[in-house]
């Protein structure tokens, strides 16, 4: 299988128990495996340990055996070993991580866009868990669960009507494939029902279906850079572009945590038409410099490009935005991105477990690395650096602060399309509890919407008056934003204006 370098933002959390102090010490012994020299002490206050001539490479095995054979209580040394390894890797940097066999399997599925559960999205509104999306072809799509249902209980655990953290709700809903999740739900018209849904695998699309904002403007929302994103990207361009004239493209990578580097470089080759143009390169202490260049095989007639970013656009998203910015091929709209310029690769072991290890940094064509400092030492080094970086047209760029937008929307920092949709859902579901869902279209939305501060930041009063009974009702009926919402959303509006 092709080796893939991964650019991602998150890692699993370690679990700990009363053995933590001992196994942290053991983890430092593991440091010998990566040639870390540790001082040793001859002080043995409570027991005598005979000095064996133990090769460094087998020290960890020797300690594990000693604990297993001599410790005064019975313990599971295999699980303790995993905790020690996990802690050792965690100490390297925020992105290196150890995965158990199960975690590695889930990790690989996620990179392919596959997830496990019942296939729904939900929002917590006034302590009630509302179903806001049912993933097509997911397990829930074959059940009687409906948009707007309130999930009262999951496997006899109450999750609505009480204050419960989002992570706790998520853990209640997900589970092993083929296991049964029993839900008690309340529909928008007040009827109660009990549903049994078998958990399974389902795919979250890497790219949402594109939306034509105008004849020559196509909007694409990329959720993550999975192993299928390039194929989806090509399919959507082929089916939605006007091949008789150039089409302007808005690429939305807000809240996109990253993914696979090679998928991004293939996409960039469709956006930068010349052959042999440097797109990005990686370099590390123990890695050879690896350059990715354009193929010169662009198949589409694309006009101007805008990329939308925010503080949660990370790694692979930043490669896309930063490379296009360095070549002055796109205007970047939004706020400073996350600032993750490190590359990870996986090494799997025979038992199915794996280590995801940071092996290099990535650098944009201008030579800048957008990785934010991980500690005070790096912060000080960045401050002392006098390096200067320039785009193809001579615009000065900075490094170490994420991607800085060309058009900054300070007031829109927390007003993403997702927040707007949340507010619309909140209003719709509250009203629907008093009125049957099909009667929502008869409600006079104008005074309600015009008093909502989040919506007001996106639409002026006059616009709200004219769109209330079209855009918002369409959204509530279809659970997806209509063109009327999109063209007035601040990021998209700024991107569209940049094309003029």
């Amino acid at each position: 299988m092709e080796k893939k370098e991964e650019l991602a933002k998150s890692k699993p959390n370690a679990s700990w128990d009363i053995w933590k102090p001992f196994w942290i010490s053991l983890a430092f012994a593991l440091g010998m495996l990566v040639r870390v020299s540790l001082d040793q002490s001859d002080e043995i206050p409570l027991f005598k340990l005979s000095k064996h001539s133990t090769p460094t490479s087998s020290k960890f095995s020797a300690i594990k055996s000693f604990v297993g054979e001599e410790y005064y209580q019975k313990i599971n040394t295999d699980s303790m070993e995993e905790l020690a390894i996990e802690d050792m890797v965690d100490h390297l940097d925020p992105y290196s991580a150890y995965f158990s066999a199960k975690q590695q399997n889930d990790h690989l599925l996620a990179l392919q866009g596959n997830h496990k559960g019942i296939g729904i999205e939900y929002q917590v509104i006034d302590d009630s868990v509302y179903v806001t999306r049912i993933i097509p072809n997911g397990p829930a799509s074959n059940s009687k669960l409906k948009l707007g249902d309130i999930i009262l209980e999951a496997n006899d655990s109450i999750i609505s009507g009480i204050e419960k953290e989002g992570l706790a709700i998520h853990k209640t809903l997900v589970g092993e494939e083929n296991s049964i999740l029993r839900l008690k739900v309340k529909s928008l018209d007040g009827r109660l029902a009990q549903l049994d849904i078998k958990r399974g695998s389902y795919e979250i699309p890497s790219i949402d279906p594109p939306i034509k904002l105008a004849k020559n403007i196509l909007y694409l929302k990329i959720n993550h850079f999975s192993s299928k994103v390039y194929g989806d990207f090509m399919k959507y361009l082929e089916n939605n572009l006007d091949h008789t004239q150039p089409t302007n493209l808005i690429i939305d990578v807000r809240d996109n945590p990253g993914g696979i580097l090679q998928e991004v470089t293939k996409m960039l080759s469709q956006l930068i038409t010349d052959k042999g143009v440097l797109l990005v390169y990686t370099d590390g202490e123990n890695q050879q410099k690896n350059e990715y260049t354009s193929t010169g095989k662009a198949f589409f007639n694309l006009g101007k490009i805008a990329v939308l970013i925010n503080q949660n656009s990370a790694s692979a998203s930043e490669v896309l935005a930063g490379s296009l910015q360095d070549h002055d091929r796109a205007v970047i709209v939004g706020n400073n991105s996350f600032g993750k310029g490190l590359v990870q690769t996986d090494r799997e072991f025979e038992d199915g477990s794996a280590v995801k290890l940071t092996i290099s940094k990535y650098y944009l064509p201008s030579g800048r690395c957008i990785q934010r400092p991980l500690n005070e030492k790096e912060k000080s080094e960045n401050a002392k650096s006098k390096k200067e970086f320039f785009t193809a047209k001579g615009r000065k760029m900075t490094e170490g602060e994420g991607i800085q937008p060309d058009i900054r929307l300070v007031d829109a920092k927390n007003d993403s399309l997702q927040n707007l949709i949340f507010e619309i859902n909140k209003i719709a579901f509250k009203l629907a509890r008093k009125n049957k869902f099909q009667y929502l279209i008869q409600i006079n939305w104008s005074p309600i919407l015009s008093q909502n501060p989040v919506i007001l930041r996106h639409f002026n009063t006059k616009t709200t008056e004219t769109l209330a009974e079209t855009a918002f009702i369409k959204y509530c009926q279809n659970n997806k934003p209509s063109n009327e919402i999109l063209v007035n959303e601040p990021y998209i509006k700024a991107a569209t204006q940049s094309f003029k």
Side-chain angles (χ1 to χ4, degrees):
M1 185 170 61
E2 180 186 3
K3 180 181 177 183
K4 292 181 178 177
E5 291 174 317
E6 181 194 346
L7 297 168
K9 181 179 169 182
S10 60
K11 59 189 256 184
N13 294 321
S15 59
W16 286 102
D17 56 20
I18 59 173
W19 298 101
K20 180 179 178 180
F22 175 79
W23 290 103
I24 286 179
S25 302
L26 191 55
F28 281 110
L30 263 173
M32 301 298 289
L33 299 179
V34 288
R35 298 189 178 96
V36 176
S37 179
L38 301 176
D39 293 331
Q40 296 186 25
S41 171
D42 289 328
E43 272 190 50
I44 308 173
L46 297 179
F47 59 91
K48 184 177 181 181
L49 178 63
S50 58
K51 292 185 178 181
H52 297 282
S53 178
T54 305
T56 298
S57 61
S58 63
K59 178 177 285 189
F60 179 73
S61 297
I63 295 174
K64 178 185 172 185
S65 298
F66 175 57
V67 172
E69 292 168 3
E70 302 292 339
Y71 191 65
Y72 83 106
Q73 288 183 340
K74 185 177 181 180
I75 61 171
N76 185 337
T77 54
D78 288 336
S79 63
M80 295 297 100
E81 178 183 38
E82 295 223 339
L83 287 174
I85 295 171
E86 188 173 341
D87 190 65
M88 179 193 74
V89 177
D90 276 355
H91 275 75
L92 297 174
D93 63 75
Y95 307 107
S96 295
Y98 171 75
F99 292 94
S100 66
K102 181 181 181 304
Q103 289 171 331
Q104 174 66 356
N105 182 61
D106 291 344
H107 170 61
L108 293 176
L109 285 173
L111 284 178
Q112 296 168 7
N114 294 321
H115 300 265
K116 292 180 180 178
I118 61 171
I120 66 168
E121 292 179 4
Y122 60 87
Q123 287 178 193
V124 181
I125 301 172
D126 294 340
D127 296 334
S128 293
V129 180
Y130 285 87
V131 178
T132 58
R133 185 186 179 198
I134 298 175
I135 308 297
N137 301 317
S141 67
N142 298 317
S143 73
K144 293 183 179 180
L145 191 68
K146 301 184 298 300
L147 176 71
D149 281 354
I150 302 172
I151 302 177
L152 303 173
E153 297 179 9
N155 284 348
D156 299 322
S157 175
I158 298 174
I159 62 174
S160 281
I162 59 174
E163 289 189 11
K164 199 162 187 175
E165 292 183 359
L167 184 60
I169 295 172
H170 176 73
K171 286 182 176 179
T172 304
L173 297 177
V174 300
E176 293 296 325
E177 193 168 2
N178 296 321
S179 63
I180 299 297
L181 179 65
R182 174 161 292 182
L183 298 179
K184 183 178 180 181
V185 301
K186 183 179 181 181
S187 64
L188 286 169
D189 57 9
R191 288 180 293 180
L192 296 175
Q194 183 169 291
L195 307 174
D196 287 349
I197 304 175
K198 182 185 288 188
R199 296 182 177 100
S201 295
Y202 60 93
E203 183 176 336
I204 295 180
S206 56
I207 305 178
D208 290 344
I211 298 174
K212 276 193 173 182
L213 302 179
K215 185 178 180 181
N216 67 331
I217 300 177
L218 186 68
Y219 169 81
L220 282 177
K221 176 70 175 79
I222 303 178
N223 300 308
H224 51 89
F225 290 94
S226 71
S227 59
K228 299 176 182 178
V229 69
Y230 175 69
D232 290 343
F233 180 72
M234 296 294 283
K235 175 183 69 177
Y236 284 140
L237 291 186
E238 174 66 29
N239 295 336
N240 291 275
L241 293 185
D242 181 353
H243 299 284
T244 64
Q245 63 176 333
T247 300
N248 298 328
L249 191 61
I250 298 176
I251 302 175
D252 190 344
V253 290
R254 287 175 291 177
D255 302 315
N256 183 324
I260 299 171
L261 178 60
Q262 287 89 337
E263 294 293 300
V264 183
T265 58
K266 287 189 287 187
M267 288 176 60
L268 283 168
S269 279
Q270 293 301 315
L271 306 176
I272 296 174
T273 57
D274 292 338
K275 184 178 180 180
V277 176
L278 179 63
L279 304 174
V280 65
Y281 68 91
T282 62
D283 200 4
E285 182 69 27
N286 298 304
Q287 306 293 322
Q288 289 185 342
K289 183 178 179 181
N290 189 11
E291 295 186 346
Y292 295 83
T293 59
S294 58
T295 61
K297 297 178 181 179
F299 300 110
F300 304 106
N301 187 10
L302 295 174
K304 297 178 180 179
I305 301 171
V307 180
L308 314 183
I309 63 171
N310 66 3
Q311 63 275 16
N312 296 318
S313 303
S315 56
S317 299
E318 295 171 296
V319 171
L320 180 76
S323 184
L324 293 173
Q325 187 180 49
D326 274 8
H327 288 297
D328 290 300
R329 180 65 182 94
V331 61
I332 312 302
V333 178
N335 289 276
N336 281 29
S337 62
F338 185 81
K340 195 251 182 184
L342 301 177
V343 183
Q344 286 74 44
T345 190
D346 290 358
R347 174 170 292 184
E348 292 192 6
F349 301 98
E350 289 183 357
D351 64 352
S353 64
V355 168
K356 182 175 75 170
L357 188 69
T358 299
I359 59 170
S360 57
K361 288 183 177 181
Y362 73 76
Y363 297 85
L364 297 174
S366 63
R368 59 183 170 134
C369 178
I370 54 83
Q371 172 65 42
R372 291 184 185 273
L374 296 176
N375 51 52
E376 289 301 319
K377 180 182 176 183
E378 290 186 4
K379 196 180 226 180
S380 176
E381 289 174 353
N382 275 17
K384 293 176 184 177
S385 175
K386 298 187 183 296
K387 291 182 181 178
E388 293 185 333
F389 307 92
F390 298 92
T391 70
K393 293 183 178 179
R395 293 187 299 136
K396 190 174 180 179
M397 296 284 111
T398 60
E399 71 170 350
E401 300 177 3
I403 301 298
Q404 296 191 23
D406 303 310
I407 300 175
R408 186 179 298 277
L409 299 178
V410 177
D411 293 337
K413 183 173 183 180
N414 297 310
D415 291 349
S416 65
L417 184 62
Q418 184 178 6
N419 287 346
L420 173 63
I421 290 173
F422 177 87
E423 292 299 325
I424 296 170
N425 273 346
K426 189 173 180 179
I427 294 170
F429 292 150
K430 276 186 176 181
L431 292 173
R433 292 170 74 172
K434 299 177 183 178
N435 305 273
K436 289 188 177 182
F437 195 64
Q438 58 265 35
Y439 297 151
L440 277 175
I441 198 166
Q442 299 176 6
I443 297 170
N444 181 9
W445 284 78
S446 299
I448 300 169
L449 297 171
S450 62
Q451 298 301 315
N452 187 286
V454 173
I455 294 171
L456 278 176
R457 285 198 289 272
H458 289 80
F459 303 95
N460 60 42
T461 304
K462 288 183 179 179
T463 307
T464 302
E465 293 291 328
T466 58
L467 297 183
E469 294 187 6
T470 54
F472 294 101
I473 297 303
K474 284 181 185 178
Y475 175 75
C476 293
Q477 290 178 328
N478 302 322
N479 196 38
K480 67 179 181 180
S482 66
N483 281 28
E484 292 93 337
I485 287 181
L486 289 174
V487 296
N488 286 281
E489 197 270 335
Y491 285 76
I492 297 172
K493 193 170 185 178
T496 303
Q497 290 174 345
S498 75
F499 295 152
K500 295 178 181 179

